[in-house]
């Protein structure tokens, strides 16, 4: 089956920060997990290069917006590579192939009678590229996200008849209970729809940096229309000489932050319906990473640089930390000190030591060959038993419980550590209890193999190293079934070296 997952496309007004990396990692975990399940996955990310969020900072720097985009888009591409994102394509909305497809879709919306000319008046935030309702305004008519004073704007423009889609949207939400997850974000979006929808402005006469409307050359398109369509347009040109639309559309999951819920959960499906295109199957809304009490954001200047964090801790540690520290879906504070603490206790000690000890004991007591033995029922059974961990993780990831799935895996890491303490293989070796030692070493080697497979979507680089050392070429779910002993293993340097050694 096909599985299409996307991230938001990020504004190229500045360099990427950890908030962007967070969405990309979440989508990457889903993409990698679905590949492990043998699905035909397409994973898209990219950059949003039009509109005032890019035009205004470029103007301040005195350079053309395309130049700013050309400078920052490669940084987002590089961020993806550094964090181990396995995206199949990176879309840039300044790509003329995107523009051509957007024009085609928007012309259909026009031909279907869903746009009209009118006058707009409202509070506009140029950083969000969004009009705020009176209810959304911060104190003193400020943007609640960027904390800047907003201007009251009045202008003539084209409107998208969003109000006409109220019933269609309600039906869509009723038919697909999992359309927006988590459920509290679904309720938020639905209550927004139920309060009654206003039409939205589709073009802006003052805008200099954006796509011209196909039916009115005097106006440029409001950036959100061109941006949302990236998820659809990319499939038509991502692969040279092939149109992937039929194969992957509609998307299974759009991953995004709660700041852009309304655009995705309300405007986006309506726009697709207006163009006669099937809406996406679902979207995943996460909370904000906070530094202290505030959202980490470029404009507030309190960002954690993902490049620096990777330099110090490695990309897998960063991927792990984000999903372990902050319960996926909720807002959560992160900090360098918290990262360091989790790195030491959970990655270097719990997991890293378990791996090192197991490999060392197999080498010392069994010449580096995993003994042939039957599985120890003590490791398989119970709440935190190894049996069925693949199904448990799959079931949780189907519900987009990224933090809970990781906790399930971690419960088994802790269990294996307890097992080492309880069975004391060194005593078994001293006492010459070969049969029991075989069983314990087999259980530990199998345990870390299965957990490495389960952790693979979260920490692809280090689990690859470990699985190679264990002589396990497979990454798919099929490999979760127990493997007989006999494999030769290799000792490898610590997966997560102590930080003193890193610094
Ligand atoms: O909104 N915590 O782009 P953007 C968690 N171009 N996630 C965060 C975050 C934080 N502190 N900060 C940013 C745009 N994000 C539009 C999107 S999509 C068709 C167009 C993540 O550069 C999160 O996914 O402002 C958020 O929704 C997105 O970056 C906003 O990125």
């Amino acid at each position: 089956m096909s599985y299409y997952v996307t991230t938001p496309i990020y504004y190229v007004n500045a360099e990427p920060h950890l908030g962007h990396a967070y969405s990309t990692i979440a989508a990457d975990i889903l993409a990698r997990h679905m590949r492990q399940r043998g699905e035909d996955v397409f994973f898209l990310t990219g950059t949003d290069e039009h509109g005032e969020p890019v035009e205004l900072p470029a103007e301040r720097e005195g350079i053309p917006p395309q130049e700013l985009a050309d400078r920052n888009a490669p940084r987002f591409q590089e961020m993806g590579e550094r964090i181990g994102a396995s995206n199949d394509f990176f879309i840039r909305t300044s790509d003329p192939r995107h523009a051509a497809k957007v024009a085609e879709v928007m012309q259909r919306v026009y031909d279907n009678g869903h746009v009209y000319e009118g006058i707009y008046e409202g509070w506009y935030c140029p950083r969000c590229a969004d009009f705020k309702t009176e209810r959304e305004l911060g104190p003193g008519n400020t943007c609640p996200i960027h904390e800047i004073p907003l201007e009251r704007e009045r202008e003539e423009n084209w409107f998208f008849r969003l109000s006409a889609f109220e019933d269609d949207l309600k039906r869509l939400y009723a038919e697909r209970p999992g359309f927006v997850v988590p459920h509290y974000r679904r309720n938020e979006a639905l209550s927004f729809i139920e309060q009654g929808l206003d039409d939205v402005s589709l073009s802006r006469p003052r805008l200099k940096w954006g796509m011209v409307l196909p039916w009115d050359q005097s106006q440029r398109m409001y950036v959100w229309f061109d941006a949302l369509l990236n998820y659809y347009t990319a499939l038509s040109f991502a692969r040279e000489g092939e149109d992937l639309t039929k194969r992957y559309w509609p998307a299974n999951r759009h991953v995004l932050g709660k700041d852009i819920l309304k655009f995705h959960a309300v405007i986006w499906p309506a726009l697709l319906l207006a163009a006669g295109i099937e809406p996406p199957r679902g979207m995943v809304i996460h909370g904000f990473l906070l530094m202290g009490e505030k959202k980490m954001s470029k404009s507030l200047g309190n960002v954690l640089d993902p490049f620096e964090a990777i330099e110090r801790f490695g990309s897998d540690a960063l991927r792990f930390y984000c999903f372990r520290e902050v319960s996926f879906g909720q807002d959560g504070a992160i900090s360098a000190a918290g990262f360091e603490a989790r790195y030491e206790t959970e990655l270097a000690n719990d997991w890293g030591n378990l791996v090192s000890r197991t490999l060392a004991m197999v080498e010392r007591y069994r010449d580096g060959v995993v003994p042939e033995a039957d599985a120890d029922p003590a490791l398989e059974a119970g709440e935190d038993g190894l049996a069925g961990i693949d199904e448990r993780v799959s079931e949780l990831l189907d519900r987009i419980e990224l933090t809970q799935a990781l906790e399930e895996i971690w419960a088994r890491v802790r269990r294996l550590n307890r097992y080492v303490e309880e069975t004391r293989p060194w005593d078994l070796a001293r006492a010459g209890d070969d049969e029991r030692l075989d069983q314990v070493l087999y259980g530990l080697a199998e345990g870390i193999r299965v957990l490495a497979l389960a952790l693979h979507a979260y920490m692809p680089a280090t689990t690859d190293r470990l699985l190679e050392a264990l002589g396990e070429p497979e990454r798919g779910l099929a490999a979760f079934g127990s493997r007989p002993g006999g494999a030769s293993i290799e000792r490898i340097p610590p997966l997560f070296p102590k930080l003193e050694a890193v610094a």
Side-chain angles (χ1 to χ4, degrees), residues 463-483:
T463 52
D464 265 342
R465 261 164 48 211
L466 174 56
L467 288 163
E468 251 168 64
L470 293 168
E472 175 55 88
E474 296 298 327
R475 299 293 178 268
L477 276 199
F480 275 80
S482 67
R483 188 177 74 158

mmCIF file of all heavy atoms in Angstrom, residues 463-483:
data_model
loop_
_atom_site.group_PDB
_atom_site.id
_atom_site.type_symbol
_atom_site.label_atom_id
_atom_site.label_comp_id
_atom_site.label_asym_id
_atom_site.label_seq_id
_atom_site.Cartn_x
_atom_site.Cartn_y
_atom_site.Cartn_z
ATOM 1 N N THR A 463 21.390 2.584 15.167
ATOM 2 C CA THR A 463 20.839 1.226 15.095
ATOM 3 C C THR A 463 21.398 0.494 13.872
ATOM 4 O O THR A 463 21.584 -0.718 13.919
ATOM 5 C CB THR A 463 19.296 1.215 15.071
ATOM 6 O OG1 THR A 463 18.852 2.102 14.032
ATOM 7 C CG2 THR A 463 18.720 1.643 16.399
ATOM 8 N N ASP A 464 21.669 1.234 12.809
ATOM 9 C CA ASP A 464 22.323 0.597 11.652
ATOM 10 C C ASP A 464 23.666 0.015 12.055
ATOM 11 O O ASP A 464 24.010 -1.108 11.696
ATOM 12 C CB ASP A 464 22.549 1.622 10.518
ATOM 13 C CG ASP A 464 21.418 1.596 9.497
ATOM 14 O OD1 ASP A 464 20.665 0.599 9.456
ATOM 15 O OD2 ASP A 464 21.286 2.581 8.739
ATOM 16 N N ARG A 465 24.410 0.819 12.830
ATOM 17 C CA ARG A 465 25.733 0.340 13.263
ATOM 18 C C ARG A 465 25.603 -0.911 14.123
ATOM 19 O O ARG A 465 26.342 -1.874 13.971
ATOM 20 C CB ARG A 465 26.452 1.448 14.034
ATOM 21 C CG ARG A 465 27.441 2.165 13.145
ATOM 22 C CD ARG A 465 27.912 3.480 13.667
ATOM 23 N NE ARG A 465 28.338 3.453 15.051
ATOM 24 C CZ ARG A 465 28.220 4.498 15.879
ATOM 25 N NH1 ARG A 465 27.683 5.621 15.451
ATOM 26 N NH2 ARG A 465 28.654 4.425 17.110
ATOM 27 N N LEU A 466 24.639 -0.869 15.028
ATOM 28 C CA LEU A 466 24.459 -2.008 15.923
ATOM 29 C C LEU A 466 23.985 -3.248 15.162
ATOM 30 O O LEU A 466 24.504 -4.359 15.364
ATOM 31 C CB LEU A 466 23.465 -1.638 17.039
ATOM 32 C CG LEU A 466 23.062 -2.780 17.965
ATOM 33 C CD1 LEU A 466 24.276 -3.440 18.611
ATOM 34 C CD2 LEU A 466 22.102 -2.285 19.048
ATOM 35 N N LEU A 467 23.002 -3.060 14.286
ATOM 36 C CA LEU A 467 22.468 -4.222 13.556
ATOM 37 C C LEU A 467 23.552 -4.846 12.670
ATOM 38 O O LEU A 467 23.616 -6.068 12.523
ATOM 39 C CB LEU A 467 21.220 -3.824 12.759
ATOM 40 C CG LEU A 467 19.988 -3.572 13.657
ATOM 41 C CD1 LEU A 467 18.907 -2.792 12.927
ATOM 42 C CD2 LEU A 467 19.411 -4.890 14.196
ATOM 43 N N GLU A 468 24.390 -3.993 12.117
ATOM 44 C CA GLU A 468 25.515 -4.530 11.338
ATOM 45 C C GLU A 468 26.427 -5.373 12.221
ATOM 46 O O GLU A 468 26.847 -6.466 11.852
ATOM 47 C CB GLU A 468 26.332 -3.386 10.747
ATOM 48 C CG GLU A 468 26.175 -3.264 9.246
ATOM 49 C CD GLU A 468 26.757 -1.949 8.774
ATOM 50 O OE1 GLU A 468 27.986 -1.763 8.912
ATOM 51 O OE2 GLU A 468 25.963 -1.102 8.296
ATOM 52 N N ALA A 469 26.714 -4.846 13.417
ATOM 53 C CA ALA A 469 27.587 -5.568 14.348
ATOM 54 C C ALA A 469 26.970 -6.902 14.752
ATOM 55 O O ALA A 469 27.675 -7.857 15.064
ATOM 56 C CB ALA A 469 27.856 -4.715 15.583
ATOM 57 N N LEU A 470 25.645 -6.956 14.738
ATOM 58 C CA LEU A 470 24.950 -8.190 15.117
ATOM 59 C C LEU A 470 24.747 -9.121 13.924
ATOM 60 O O LEU A 470 24.115 -10.171 14.043
ATOM 61 C CB LEU A 470 23.582 -7.858 15.735
ATOM 62 C CG LEU A 470 23.605 -7.140 17.093
ATOM 63 C CD1 LEU A 470 22.220 -6.621 17.447
ATOM 64 C CD2 LEU A 470 24.113 -8.079 18.184
ATOM 65 N N GLY A 471 25.238 -8.689 12.747
ATOM 66 C CA GLY A 471 25.082 -9.510 11.555
ATOM 67 C C GLY A 471 23.630 -9.610 11.108
ATOM 68 O O GLY A 471 23.195 -10.639 10.598
ATOM 69 N N GLU A 472 22.873 -8.519 11.312
ATOM 70 C CA GLU A 472 21.467 -8.497 10.903
ATOM 71 C C GLU A 472 21.303 -7.563 9.705
ATOM 72 O O GLU A 472 21.328 -6.340 9.855
ATOM 73 C CB GLU A 472 20.595 -8.013 12.072
ATOM 74 C CG GLU A 472 19.123 -7.824 11.745
ATOM 75 C CD GLU A 472 18.469 -9.063 11.158
ATOM 76 O OE1 GLU A 472 17.973 -9.898 11.950
ATOM 77 O OE2 GLU A 472 18.478 -9.208 9.919
ATOM 78 N N PRO A 473 21.137 -8.125 8.498
ATOM 79 C CA PRO A 473 21.019 -7.258 7.329
ATOM 80 C C PRO A 473 19.616 -6.665 7.163
ATOM 81 O O PRO A 473 19.437 -5.649 6.494
ATOM 82 C CB PRO A 473 21.324 -8.197 6.157
ATOM 83 C CG PRO A 473 20.967 -9.566 6.659
ATOM 84 C CD PRO A 473 21.143 -9.556 8.147
ATOM 85 N N GLU A 474 18.610 -7.286 7.770
ATOM 86 C CA GLU A 474 17.220 -6.846 7.561
ATOM 87 C C GLU A 474 16.879 -5.653 8.446
ATOM 88 O O GLU A 474 17.414 -5.505 9.534
ATOM 89 C CB GLU A 474 16.251 -7.984 7.896
ATOM 90 C CG GLU A 474 16.361 -9.195 6.997
ATOM 91 C CD GLU A 474 16.038 -8.884 5.554
ATOM 92 O OE1 GLU A 474 15.188 -8.003 5.323
ATOM 93 O OE2 GLU A 474 16.655 -9.515 4.667
ATOM 94 N N ARG A 475 15.936 -4.826 7.977
ATOM 95 C CA ARG A 475 15.417 -3.748 8.810
ATOM 96 C C ARG A 475 13.898 -3.848 8.949
ATOM 97 O O ARG A 475 13.292 -3.136 9.729
ATOM 98 C CB ARG A 475 15.764 -2.370 8.206
ATOM 99 C CG ARG A 475 17.263 -2.105 8.080
ATOM 100 C CD ARG A 475 17.933 -1.974 9.434
ATOM 101 N NE ARG A 475 19.374 -1.775 9.307
ATOM 102 C CZ ARG A 475 20.273 -2.765 9.311
ATOM 103 N NH1 ARG A 475 19.875 -4.029 9.452
ATOM 104 N NH2 ARG A 475 21.553 -2.516 9.171
ATOM 105 N N GLY A 476 13.297 -4.698 8.160
ATOM 106 C CA GLY A 476 11.838 -4.774 8.101
ATOM 107 C C GLY A 476 11.240 -5.492 9.295
ATOM 108 O O GLY A 476 11.933 -6.147 10.073
ATOM 109 N N LEU A 477 9.931 -5.360 9.414
ATOM 110 C CA LEU A 477 9.217 -5.961 10.539
ATOM 111 C C LEU A 477 9.349 -7.478 10.569
ATOM 112 O O LEU A 477 9.308 -8.076 11.631
ATOM 113 C CB LEU A 477 7.725 -5.626 10.449
ATOM 114 C CG LEU A 477 7.268 -4.292 11.010
ATOM 115 C CD1 LEU A 477 5.780 -4.331 11.268
ATOM 116 C CD2 LEU A 477 8.001 -3.947 12.296
ATOM 117 N N ALA A 478 9.522 -8.071 9.383
ATOM 118 C CA ALA A 478 9.619 -9.528 9.318
ATOM 119 C C ALA A 478 10.780 -10.020 10.184
ATOM 120 O O ALA A 478 10.731 -11.115 10.747
ATOM 121 C CB ALA A 478 9.809 -9.965 7.877
ATOM 122 N N ALA A 479 11.816 -9.175 10.309
ATOM 123 C CA ALA A 479 13.013 -9.579 11.055
ATOM 124 C C ALA A 479 12.787 -9.611 12.561
ATOM 125 O O ALA A 479 13.656 -10.044 13.318
ATOM 126 C CB ALA A 479 14.164 -8.635 10.721
ATOM 127 N N PHE A 480 11.614 -9.159 13.018
ATOM 128 C CA PHE A 480 11.353 -9.155 14.455
ATOM 129 C C PHE A 480 11.207 -10.573 15.018
ATOM 130 O O PHE A 480 11.438 -10.793 16.189
ATOM 131 C CB PHE A 480 10.076 -8.362 14.767
ATOM 132 C CG PHE A 480 10.318 -6.898 14.909
ATOM 133 C CD1 PHE A 480 10.450 -6.085 13.798
ATOM 134 C CD2 PHE A 480 10.421 -6.316 16.163
ATOM 135 C CE1 PHE A 480 10.673 -4.722 13.930
ATOM 136 C CE2 PHE A 480 10.648 -4.954 16.305
ATOM 137 C CZ PHE A 480 10.771 -4.163 15.182
ATOM 138 N N GLY A 481 10.783 -11.504 14.189
ATOM 139 C CA GLY A 481 10.611 -12.880 14.644
ATOM 140 C C GLY A 481 11.942 -13.400 15.175
ATOM 141 O O GLY A 481 13.006 -12.959 14.730
ATOM 142 N N SER A 482 11.903 -14.348 16.115
ATOM 143 C CA SER A 482 13.163 -14.687 16.766
ATOM 144 C C SER A 482 14.119 -15.370 15.790
ATOM 145 O O SER A 482 13.722 -16.123 14.913
ATOM 146 C CB SER A 482 12.913 -15.541 17.998
ATOM 147 O OG SER A 482 12.407 -16.782 17.582
ATOM 148 N N ARG A 483 15.380 -15.033 15.943
ATOM 149 C CA ARG A 483 16.433 -15.533 15.064
ATOM 150 C C ARG A 483 17.220 -16.574 15.838
ATOM 151 O O ARG A 483 17.545 -16.345 17.008
ATOM 152 C CB ARG A 483 17.328 -14.345 14.689
ATOM 153 C CG ARG A 483 18.354 -14.640 13.630
ATOM 154 C CD ARG A 483 19.134 -13.382 13.271
ATOM 155 N NE ARG A 483 20.101 -12.996 14.311
ATOM 156 C CZ ARG A 483 21.176 -12.227 14.072
ATOM 157 N NH1 ARG A 483 21.396 -11.749 12.858
ATOM 158 N NH2 ARG A 483 22.006 -11.917 15.031
#
